[in-house]
Amino acid sequence: MLDIIYKYQNLLANIDEYIEDSKFKKEYLIEQLGVSRATFYNKVKKKSFTIDEMVVLSTILFPEEAKAFEIKEALRQSREDSKAGKTRDHKDVMAEVRDKLRA
């Protein structure tokens, strides 16, 4: 658990560098965070982004890692669903997909 905290601490400590090195314009990040320009720069300077803001920034700045995390979570959830008996018949799923494609 401590390693997670240290990784987060390192991420936050270097967030200004990650923002500078990214291919995204700061205006885009500001828009995605839903904060004012002044607030954004203040948060970068003070390294005071909230956890939710760091999730948004990390998803944008590290899209490959975000996608990998999303896939891992989907697999974990599907395993849990399967263990709990929350499964659907292949035939039913395919019929639903066909219906959606026709609509």
Side-chain angles (χ1 to χ4, degrees):
M1 184 61 83
L2 200 53
D3 62 327
I4 295 169
I5 294 168
Y6 284 129
K7 286 179 183 179
Y8 178 75
Q9 188 178 36
N10 184 51
L11 175 65
L12 189 57
N14 295 301
I15 195 66
D16 52 341
E17 293 173 33
Y18 295 130
I19 290 170
E20 278 301 316
D21 293 344
S22 81
K23 63 183 178 180
F24 298 98
K25 293 185 178 188
K26 291 179 185 90
E27 289 303 320
Y28 174 73
L29 299 176
I30 291 167
E31 179 184 311
Q32 294 302 304
L33 289 170
V35 298
S36 71
R37 193 180 224 308
T39 299
F40 175 79
Y41 284 104
N42 202 16
K43 285 178 177 272
V44 170
K45 182 179 177 182
K46 293 181 179 178
K47 300 180 188 308
S48 62
F49 290 103
T50 66
I51 298 291
D52 290 338
E53 290 168 338
M54 288 299 290
V55 169
V56 170
L57 283 174
S58 296
T59 301
I60 294 168
L61 297 175
F62 308 105
E64 296 86 9
E65 291 178 30
K67 192 61 174 174
F69 179 78
E70 185 180 307
I71 292 168
K72 285 180 193 174
E73 282 300 302
L75 286 171
R76 183 191 61 73
Q77 184 62 51
S78 69
R79 285 187 192 109
E80 284 182 19
D81 288 347
S82 182
K83 285 179 185 176
K86 297 179 184 176
T87 60
R88 295 175 56 198
D89 202 31
H90 181 265
K91 199 183 307 182
D92 296 336
V93 173
M94 293 307 293
E96 185 179 313
V97 169
R98 282 189 205 99
D99 290 344
K100 284 182 182 180
L101 290 174
R102 288 184 193 135

